[in-house]
Amino acid sequence: MKLASLTAGRHPALSRTDVVVLCGIALVLVANLVGLSLHGDGFNIIVDGWMALLSDWAAVVLVWLAVQRGTPRRADVVLAAAAVTALAVGDTAYRLLPAASAGDVVPTLSDGAYLTFYLLMLGVVAVLAHRSLRKQAWPVLLTSAVGALGASSVLAVLLSPALDGASGAPLSAPIVLSIAFPVLDLLLIAALAGIAATPVRVLGRSGLLLVAGLILFATADVVYAQRVQLDPVLIGTALNGAWAVGFALITVWVLVTARTRRRPDHTTVTSASDASAYAATAIAAPLVATAAGLVVLLVASQTEVSVLAVSLAGSALALAAIPLAFRHRLLHSLSRTDELTGLPNRRALAMDVATRLRAVDARPSALLVLDLDRFKEVNDSLGHEAGDRLIERISARLTGALQAGDLLARLGGDEFAVHLHHADRMRATAMARRLRAVTARPIVIDGLSLELGLSIGIALSPEHGSDLSGLLRKADMAMYSAKATRMGQRIYSEGDDSNDGARLRTLHELRIALTDDQLVLHYQPKVDLATDTVPGVEALVRWNHPTRGLLYPADFLDVAENGGLMRTLTRVVLELALDQAAVWQAQGRELTVAVNLSSRSLADYQLAGVVTRMLTARGLPGSALMLEVTEEFLLVDRDRARNILMRLRSAGVLIAVDDFGTGYSSLAYLRDLPIDELKLDQSFVIPMLDDDRASALVASSIHLGHSLGMRIVAEGVETAEVLDQLAHFDCDMAQGYFVSRPVAANQLERWLDDRAVLPIDVPAGR
């Protein structure tokens, strides 16, 4: 995977200004509500005037700050911020400019601003509705329409008195607008009800703020519509309190939504349980709407109700009366479709492939299981919304690479399956290469160039079985073998069974090892070439297996990574390393212990806090620990890396870049990130005596590091000649088998004591 640039974090913290303004809004709002409840009817210049306007414009400032800091800027947030501004303009004009008389026909500036507020909020709901109906079939539109009509019929009943009163009253701007505002409320509530009826969750928990705010506005507008004919100027009443609270709720929704930068606005159906839950929603919402329509019609049979309310209720019932068989077909289709990509899901794959395999004329076929390499790092670094867009782009590429009759399905997450109809071993292998090739091309997401690998396992029918479950299991095992060996693709063989069993057994035993103190650390010293001292060591984990003996990282780190044990393993290694550092400190040995961390471990935002607590508990300074990170982590998301590394640096922890020189992106991170040490990869150090280009790379890297104030450590030093050349290049430190192999702590102590008597012959280079 390669990323050419960086992106912002997902959940930026509130700034001090934001907190101050937000607290100010809350205080002004509370004071305003208290004032409204105490002074009663009539206009109060402090409560209804300046305090109300102050809270309005403070909210405007805050929402536009949130919009300006949001990346990327979302259309619904911008429209909502504009709506908040329009409402503040309307309130200001209403209080400061001359009011309309009861007979005026032309709306005032405040009326226009209020209408603009409603139109902009309709735009917000339209954006949300568009997202909720994305990739949905037209039957889902029917479900949404039923929910909208049911809600509209109830609100129309509430508006009946106002509509009837307006029909006999003389035409004036206040009367017309008193009806227009509730009607616009009706449209807003209807649209929100339609969104709620779709089998996709769009608003999330924060959406309750928007819904509550609009309901308060609708309630206040209905009351206003009923009273305005008696008193055209209603200010300083409880209505203002309802509008103020509704305004505050909408403002808070804008702030929360603007700060949710990378999370998707809808929840993707990724499992059978999710599909069942959303299918239940698709049934429940129309049922509630149908019940509402029935209630409206019952009320209409007993009392006079507006024609509009009766028409809406009848329309809801008519749409809901579509044959149940059609709705069953809709739910069946939803249960077979992956909502994110529109591809068949695991259930559809099981049904369709089983039918193919049972066909009378069934010929040899192949099942391919595809898994994106290191996709989780994209999700962890860039967020789930970027991950979703990446999955959509990958699925489109895979679809375009297949031939007629081939079936592509998304199994979940970053895993896909392809069934090749009438395919032998040769065609399956060729198709796997083709799928890997189309996936390997760079994909640009939010300005980032991503390159992902694809691991593919292949099972053949009838050679490896004639039922889907067996083929899927064998293709899955072949895929894991391809991923572990980095082959890219692999056809199932009997050896994969034993490999799969061994992998599961190793994972189980590793879980036990992490709790039974079976992990140990060996330490490889780093020699300072100028002073012939040992300022630090690198800690390397080993597994003291009860039956298999001492295991090296290559035997279990991949298992830990794929089995979700890397976070626990990292913390165990840190505890062991710092325990030993504390022992050496008590002995008077000032040694910095370096620990390698994987990209996944470094992506843990809790890491800095965990490390700080570990150091404090042992009475160690931060400089007792050095964390070795890879260039890849630094390049995936530089803002995230800087945030984590700066927190570690503030605790005094040292940072080293491991395997320096093996990366393939910009070196700008050396300037921007807090790095103390560069470790030259042994692939450059070992051949440098016989390879002039390798030697030049080592020399230039040492010069580069020194120019940036960093120490340089050469790894893989195996001969005295290499050590001599490194000293000639002014390299700072060296480690490798010529200096010492990684050894247990007690052996290292003896080695250090022996060096004090007979130091290693380090050539003078400076």
Side-chain angles (χ1 to χ4, degrees):
M1 179 184 62
K2 183 191 299 183
L3 290 89
S5 58
L6 53 115
T7 185
R10 286 175 284 175
H11 300 291
L14 285 170
S15 68
R16 182 174 300 177
T17 302
D18 293 341
V19 174
V20 171
V21 176
L22 188 58
C23 291
I25 290 175
L27 289 174
V28 171
L29 176 61
V30 171
N32 193 8
L33 294 177
V34 172
L36 286 171
S37 64
L38 293 179
H39 82 76
D41 293 341
F43 179 77
N44 183 290
I45 187 61
I46 297 177
V47 175
D48 301 311
W50 299 114
M51 291 181 65
L53 294 181
L54 178 62
S55 62
D56 281 354
W57 288 104
V60 170
V61 171
L62 192 56
V63 295
W64 283 112
L65 280 174
V67 169
Q68 192 269 333
R69 294 171 185 172
T71 305
R73 295 178 184 174
R74 294 170 43 175
D76 53 341
V77 174
V78 174
L79 287 172
V84 168
T85 306
L87 195 61
V89 171
D91 284 348
T92 303
Y94 187 76
R95 287 161 172 80
L96 301 182
L97 298 181
S101 67
D104 286 345
V105 177
V106 180
T108 64
L109 174 61
S110 61
D111 295 330
Y114 291 145
L115 284 173
T116 302
F117 164 78
Y118 284 101
L119 294 175
L120 289 170
M121 289 307 301
L122 281 172
V124 172
V125 177
V127 172
L128 296 175
H130 173 72
R131 292 176 184 170
S132 72
L133 301 176
R134 186 168 60 102
K135 297 186 179 66
Q136 300 298 313
W138 69 267
V140 179
L141 291 172
L142 171 66
T143 302
S144 304
V146 172
L149 289 171
S152 301
S153 64
V154 174
L155 192 56
V157 171
L158 299 176
L159 287 174
S160 292
L163 292 172
D164 294 339
S167 62
L171 184 65
S172 67
I175 297 298
V176 172
L177 292 171
S178 71
I179 303 302
F181 291 148
V183 169
L184 291 171
D185 287 321
L186 185 150
L187 293 176
L188 287 170
I189 300 300
L192 289 174
I195 293 173
T198 61
V200 181
R201 289 182 292 194
V202 174
L203 294 174
R205 294 180 180 177
S206 64
L208 294 176
L209 297 169
L210 177 63
V211 173
L214 292 177
I215 288 177
L216 276 174
F217 264 85
T219 303
D221 287 341
V222 169
V223 175
Y224 178 78
Q226 294 172 342
R227 295 186 56 187
V228 72
Q229 299 172 55
L230 302 175
D231 184 3
V233 181
L234 292 170
I235 193 166
T237 68
L239 288 179
N240 289 341
W243 281 317
V245 174
F247 176 77
L249 291 173
I250 293 172
T251 299
V252 175
W253 176 80
V254 175
L255 298 178
V256 173
T257 306
R259 293 186 175 281
T260 308
R261 296 182 181 177
R262 292 288 180 184
R263 294 292 182 185
D265 297 310
H266 61 278
T267 301
T268 302
V269 179
T270 56
S271 66
S273 61
D274 284 342
S276 300
Y278 296 157
T281 301
I283 294 176
L287 285 178
V288 173
T290 302
L294 284 172
V295 170
V296 170
L297 293 180
L298 288 174
V299 171
S301 68
Q302 302 297 321
T303 184
E304 185 176 352
V305 176
S306 69
V307 176
L308 175 62
V310 174
S311 300
L312 291 172
S315 300
L317 290 177
L319 291 179
I322 291 178
L324 293 178
F326 179 82
R327 190 165 299 283
H328 174 74
R329 180 181 176 186
L330 163 64
L331 297 178
H332 178 70
S333 174
L334 289 174
S335 69
R336 288 173 48 89
T337 303
D338 176 65
E339 190 273 333
L340 177 63
T341 63
L343 295 174
N345 59 15
R346 184 183 289 269
R347 179 180 297 178
L349 177 75
M351 297 173 65
D352 294 347
V353 174
T355 301
R356 291 185 176 199
L357 295 175
R358 288 196 304 266
V360 177
D361 62 342
R363 302 178 188 177
S365 62
L367 183 69
L368 283 62
V369 171
L370 293 62
D371 186 84
L372 291 173
D373 296 334
R374 309 170 84 169
F375 171 76
K376 188 177 186 304
E377 294 180 9
V378 175
N379 262 358
D380 290 343
S381 299
L382 307 183
H384 292 281
E385 188 175 2
D388 283 352
R389 292 202 299 274
L390 183 58
I391 289 292
E392 290 178 308
R393 299 279 295 277
I394 290 292
S395 66
R397 288 189 179 185
L398 296 176
T399 301
L402 297 176
Q403 300 176 1
D406 298 336
L407 174 64
L408 171 65
R410 184 185 179 210
L411 301 181
D414 62 336
E415 195 170 42
F416 298 83
V418 174
H419 185 255
L420 303 178
H421 210 26
H422 302 167
D424 55 12
R425 180 181 294 259
M426 182 177 296
R427 183 183 173 225
T429 302
M431 180 56 72
R433 285 198 297 267
R434 183 175 182 180
L435 294 175
R436 290 176 56 215
V438 299
T439 306
R441 297 200 305 266
I443 298 177
V444 177
I445 301 291
D446 289 343
L448 307 177
S449 179
L450 309 178
E451 290 184 11
L452 294 178
L454 190 66
S455 295
I456 302 178
I458 305 171
L460 305 172
S461 175
E463 180 179 342
H464 299 140
S466 56
D467 66 286
L468 177 64
S469 61
L471 291 173
L472 197 59
R473 183 179 64 85
K474 292 176 178 179
D476 200 50
M477 287 190 291
M479 182 273 293
Y480 273 109
S481 294
K483 186 180 288 288
T485 58
R486 294 178 172 81
M487 295 172 55
Q489 64 190 64
R490 178 180 174 86
I491 297 178
Y492 168 81
S493 66
E494 293 183 359
D496 293 330
D497 278 314
S498 58
N499 290 337
D500 189 61
R503 182 174 56 85
L504 293 175
R505 186 166 52 254
T506 300
L507 182 61
H508 171 70
E509 292 172 347
L510 184 56
R511 287 194 178 97
I512 297 174
L514 290 170
T515 58
D516 287 0
D517 298 329
Q518 294 179 16
L519 295 184
V520 297
L521 297 183
H522 284 188
Y523 302 90
Q524 188 172 37
K526 297 188 288 188
V527 174
D528 188 303
L529 298 183
T531 63
D532 191 26
T533 59
V534 180
V537 296
E538 180 180 358
L540 302 168
V541 66
R542 305 286 188 261
W543 181 2
N544 192 10
H545 196 281
T547 59
R548 298 167 61 187
L550 195 66
L551 301 182
Y552 286 77
D555 296 319
F556 59 88
L557 281 188
D558 282 343
V559 173
E561 189 83 22
N562 295 324
L565 297 180
M566 187 54 70
R567 176 180 294 183
T568 304
L569 176 63
T570 297
R571 297 194 179 187
V572 169
V573 170
L574 284 171
E575 288 176 352
L576 292 173
L578 292 177
D579 284 343
Q580 186 59 57
V583 171
W584 284 333
Q585 185 184 57
Q587 295 175 355
R589 303 181 192 271
E590 298 294 334
L591 294 174
T592 296
V593 180
V595 175
N596 289 280
L597 293 185
S598 67
S599 297
R600 186 167 299 179
S601 298
L602 283 162
D604 182 4
Y605 274 116
Q606 299 178 356
L607 177 66
V610 170
V611 169
T612 302
R613 287 192 294 272
M614 287 182 178
L615 290 167
T616 302
R618 293 163 177 80
L620 292 171
S623 58
L625 176 66
M626 174 177 287
L627 296 179
E628 296 189 2
V629 303
T630 61
E631 287 182 285
E632 179 185 25
F633 168 71
L634 303 177
L635 296 168
V636 165
D637 188 344
R638 200 177 305 168
D639 279 358
R640 186 186 184 98
R642 181 178 179 81
N643 183 22
I644 294 173
L645 296 185
M646 288 301 293
R647 292 175 62 194
L648 291 167
R649 168 58 67 81
S650 66
V653 177
L654 304 177
I655 307 298
V657 176
D658 197 17
D659 301 331
F660 178 73
T662 59
Y664 35 73
S665 292
S666 169
L667 296 178
Y669 71 88
L670 295 178
R671 175 197 62 198
D672 299 332
L673 299 178
I675 298 169
D676 301 286
E677 187 172 286
L678 297 180
K679 301 190 71 176
L680 296 179
D681 188 70
Q682 61 181 359
S683 62
F684 300 110
V685 174
I686 292 175
M688 71 177 191
L689 293 181
D690 303 319
D691 187 336
D692 291 339
R693 299 183 68 181
S695 180
L697 284 172
V698 170
S700 60
S701 297
I702 293 172
H703 177 72
L704 172 65
H706 286 165
S707 66
L708 295 173
M710 301 174 187
R711 294 184 301 274
I712 306 297
V713 180
E715 299 180 288
V717 178
E718 298 184 350
T719 65
E721 291 78 14
V722 170
L723 194 68
D724 182 56
Q725 185 73 349
L726 290 169
H728 177 71
F729 287 156
D730 287 342
C731 184
D732 298 290
M733 288 184 282
Q735 72 178 96
Y737 282 5
F738 178 74
V739 177
S740 172
R741 290 175 177 269
V743 294
N746 57 350
Q747 293 177 276
L748 179 67
E749 291 168 5
R750 289 195 296 270
W751 183 86
L752 291 171
D753 293 338
D754 291 342
R755 286 189 82 258
V757 178
L758 185 63
I760 188 172
D761 183 18
V762 178
R766 288 182 273 192

